[in-house]
Amino acid sequence: MDTNRITVAYGDGIGPEIMTATIEILNAAGANLEYDVIEIGEKVYLSGNTSGISQENWHILENNKVFLKAPITTPQGGGYQSLNVAIRKTLGLYSNVRPCISYAPYVATNFPKMDLVIVRENEEDLYAGIEHQQTDEVIQCLKLVSVSGTEKIIRYAFEYAVANNRKHVTCMSKDNIMKMTDGMFHKTFDRVAKEYPSITTDHYIIDIGAAKLASDPERFDVIVTLNLYGDIISDIAADVAGSVGLGGSSNVGENFAMFEAIHGSAPDIAGKDIANPSGLINGACMMLVQIGKADIAEKIQNALLTTLEDGIHTGDIFKEGRSAQKVGTKAFTKALIERLGQTPKQFKPVQLNHDAKPIHITVSPKDQVVKKLIGVDVFLDWDESDKNPEVLGNLFKSIKSDSMELNMISNRGVVVYPNGHPSTFCTNHWRCRFTSKLRNVVPFSEILELQSHIDKANIKVIKTENLYQFDNKAAYSVSQGE
Ligand code: NAD
């Protein structure tokens, strides 16, 4: 991605202030960039464009390939798509890298040795945003995780560790509960890890992982995780490091890249000249490395460290006694520019690899698998007879299928028929599992016929999920109690 022409968006809230600061610094440091400025975010949304970006600006993004973006405000309420998510997915920016580093003793933190990087999967998981209300009580959000997307982000995390001289990669998932989606993520991590024997690894269940990140972040080096967990833990890590105002973030794919701050548009402090521009400056430095200007990134990061150790601090990190001067965004920018060319005396100076190449990932070819349809889960909206599962189970006795039989009914994932517990609370959202009577392949036409019988019995079908075996192994979750 060697380029001098980048796309820039000034964003919303504190966006214009911190982007102005960042561009001034890039120019003063000799980055020698040309900027195509595009309008995105709140103004575009409120003008009636629910995507938050015009078609013309999409073309500019695609032509320039590299995007430096200030935070934007997504108006609350329905009807607006998240532009951040749309850009990441449309441009294939599968990896979100968020370094969270302590600037102790100049920025207050309980963890002076904290120096970790979160590598977050950026396109999949619950961020597909596919949601449906299925009964008047129950709403569904689909969690979609692909084998190739998972392998890509895990390989990226290991390659990032190698390229940046990091020694340990931790995987975080919730595979004790989501045994198939998160289970596949964990297994892929274990498989890929074997190819990197010089890097040590471990795995944390995300809840204890997040707790350890808050109470003992110095134990972590690189963390790789799924999209939602990564979003949450990177805010925790940035805050624990000292301030959400300090962290930068890259969103990188094979052909495009976007760089930003970790934080949002901070409307509470917008227009007051008090925002810390360091997060976006750090994001811009990640961009400079990506486009082959690591020397300029090094110069800016050393000037940033020098400014911080000189005690010139914005309000979010200012501490009486520790800081020398409380400054606004503009004065902080001026102080940093004055220090370009200096190296810090207390902090270890930043030394980047000037020959670093962008990371390219190739995923393993897919194995041939034999996929067999062996049954179906039929989801129902059924509200009758005090939601008594025995009544529903008995109704199915009159519903005939030549090749399939009812195995069980579950409610919110717990088996309630046969042999349910009377104390289990039931909603009006039921899953009825039918499999082949002879334990062999079921023709799809039988599934359609079964649905038609259920419909004729006046039971409302919400949807079906086919049950498959891959290489003779059941590829669906069993219910609690099944
Ligand atoms: P936020 O990150 O904007 O603010 C959280 C808190 O941190 C606020 O108190 C804020 O004043 C403070 N803060 C944030 N950045 C700071 C900085 N640079 N200097 C000093 N203090 C700073 O989170 P939020 O309030 O939850 O979200 C506000 C808006 O930002 C929402 O519309 C949200 O959708 C959007 N958002 C955008 C992005 C993005 O564009 N990438 C990311 C997150 C949130």
Side-chain angles (χ1 to χ4, degrees):
M1 283 182 192
D2 281 350
T3 183
N4 279 326
R5 192 168 198 92
I6 63 164
T7 310
V8 165
Y10 280 73
D12 303 314
I14 58 170
E17 297 162 70
I18 59 173
M19 184 57 86
T20 303
T22 303
I23 300 276
E24 274 178 29
I25 291 165
L26 285 170
N27 291 341
N32 192 23
L33 296 170
E34 290 174 78
Y35 309 102
D36 282 325
V37 176
I38 62 167
E39 180 85 71
I40 55 166
E42 202 172 22
K43 267 198 218 131
V44 183
Y45 283 118
L46 298 178
S47 72
N49 182 334
T50 54
S51 69
I53 182 170
S54 69
Q55 207 50 39
E56 193 189 339
N57 285 340
W58 268 122
H59 294 315
I60 296 176
L61 281 182
E62 281 164 351
N63 281 339
N64 289 344
K65 299 194 180 336
V66 176
F67 184 23
L68 181 61
K69 180 184 141 297
I72 56 168
T73 303
T74 310
Q76 306 217 323
Y80 299 104
Q81 297 158 2
S82 163
L83 178 57
N84 290 320
V85 175
I87 293 173
R88 289 170 194 155
K89 293 207 293 200
T90 308
L91 300 181
L93 309 179
Y94 66 88
S95 107
N96 184 201
V97 178
R98 296 180 160 189
C100 296
I101 297 161
S102 148
Y103 295 99
Y106 301 96
V107 177
T109 170
N110 292 329
F111 308 105
K113 296 204 189 90
M114 177 174 178
D115 177 2
L116 61 87
V117 180
I118 293 168
V119 178
R120 162 194 174 200
E121 197 289 315
N122 217 17
E123 296 181 284
E124 305 194 338
D125 194 359
L126 291 160
Y127 286 61
I130 304 175
E131 296 183 296
H132 297 95
Q133 177 149 9
Q134 300 188 324
T135 76
D136 59 5
E137 281 188 47
V138 177
I139 304 166
Q140 168 190 274
C141 178
L142 280 184
K143 170 162 172 152
L144 295 175
V145 180
S146 74
V147 173
S148 54
T150 298
E151 186 178 327
K152 229 165 28 172
I153 194 64
I154 287 170
R155 284 192 183 281
Y156 191 94
F158 279 99
E159 288 295 322
Y160 180 94
V162 170
N164 292 279
N165 204 21
R166 289 184 174 265
K167 308 287 178 223
H168 188 82
V169 182
T170 299
C171 175
M172 292 196 192
S173 78
K174 186 78 185 169
D175 63 340
N176 55 332
I177 301 295
M178 281 158 281
K179 294 175 198 291
M180 294 186 67
T181 47
D182 287 32
M184 184 270 290
F185 196 90
H186 187 175
K187 279 192 201 115
T188 307
F189 177 79
D190 288 346
R191 171 166 63 81
V192 172
K194 292 196 183 99
E195 296 174 34
Y196 295 86
S198 63
I199 294 187
T200 54
T201 60
D202 56 4
H203 172 269
Y204 283 77
I205 298 209
I206 185 67
D207 29 2
I208 190 64
K212 290 291 173 211
L213 196 57
S215 67
D216 186 14
E218 292 165 345
R219 70 166 67 198
F220 295 108
D221 191 357
V222 174
I223 300 172
V224 63
T225 190
L226 295 100
N227 200 342
L228 178 63
Y229 312 142
D231 200 2
I232 296 168
I233 64 170
S234 53
D235 266 28
I236 297 175
D239 218 30
V240 163
S243 164
V244 286
L246 294 169
S249 155
S250 71
N251 301 264
V252 178
E254 277 304 305
N255 302 310
F256 301 97
M258 174 171 82
F259 301 87
E260 55 187 345
I262 289 183
H263 60 76
S265 59
D268 53 333
I269 58 166
K272 296 182 179 164
D273 187 36
I274 57 175
N276 187 345
S278 304
L280 190 58
I281 294 168
N282 277 325
C285 288
M286 296 170 89
M287 172 189 78
L288 290 171
V289 173
Q290 183 83 12
I291 62 177
K293 294 178 187 281
D295 52 334
I296 309 291
E298 197 174 277
K299 190 169 168 186
I300 295 174
Q301 288 200 301
N302 281 322
L304 174 61
L305 292 179
T306 310
T307 312
L308 293 175
E309 71 178 23
D310 285 349
I312 299 173
H313 292 167
T314 45
D316 56 317
I317 54 173
F318 181 84
K319 277 266 176 324
E320 210 66 65
R322 189 188 292 260
S323 311
Q325 199 186 344
K326 187 176 190 174
V327 291
T329 315
K330 287 184 186 146
F332 184 87
T333 308
K334 185 164 172 282
L336 192 155
I337 289 172
E338 282 164 6
R339 286 163 179 76
L340 285 168
Q342 296 183 24
T343 41
K345 289 170 197 62
Q346 307 303 326
F347 286 122
K348 190 166 166 245
V350 171
Q351 274 187 313
L352 298 170
N353 175 3
H354 293 195
D355 302 318
K357 297 271 170 290
I359 295 169
H360 291 289
I361 299 298
T362 313
V363 292
S364 323
K366 275 200 283 185
D367 292 335
Q368 287 291 326
V369 282
V370 179
K371 178 178 174 185
K372 277 192 218 157
L373 180 61
I374 55 142
V376 66
D377 278 349
V378 182
F379 290 78
L380 307 177
D381 179 351
W382 187 75
D383 224 340
E384 285 149 43
S385 306
D386 287 334
K387 297 188 204 132
N388 182 340
E390 289 298 318
V391 176
L392 184 59
N394 287 331
L395 272 178
F396 278 111
K397 290 194 176 139
S398 62
I399 296 173
K400 293 273 172 275
S401 163
D402 292 339
S403 61
M404 281 187 289
E405 62 192 358
L406 177 70
N407 292 157
M408 64 94 192
I409 301 173
S410 73
N411 199 292
R412 299 193 301 174
V414 179
V415 174
V416 290
Y417 178 90
N419 308 323
H421 291 275
S423 50
T424 305
F425 173 80
C426 290
T427 66
N428 53 10
H429 186 275
W430 309 83
R431 175 175 57 158
C432 305
R433 175 159 291 174
F434 293 86
T435 52
S436 159
K437 284 180 185 164
L438 301 171
R439 303 273 156 223
N440 57 13
V441 174
V442 172
F444 186 63
S445 55
E446 283 287 332
I447 290 179
L448 295 175
E449 208 176 309
L450 172 71
Q451 282 188 72
S452 152
H453 289 317
I454 296 173
D455 186 54
K456 280 192 192 121
N458 268 332
I459 304 176
K460 284 176 252 146
V461 175
I462 298 165
K463 66 161 197 172
T464 58
E465 283 289 346
N466 293 337
L467 303 178
Y468 295 108
Q469 281 180 348
F470 285 84
D471 286 343
N472 292 323
K473 279 197 218 110
Y476 46 88
S477 57
V478 290
S479 293
Q480 284 128 17
E482 190 174 352

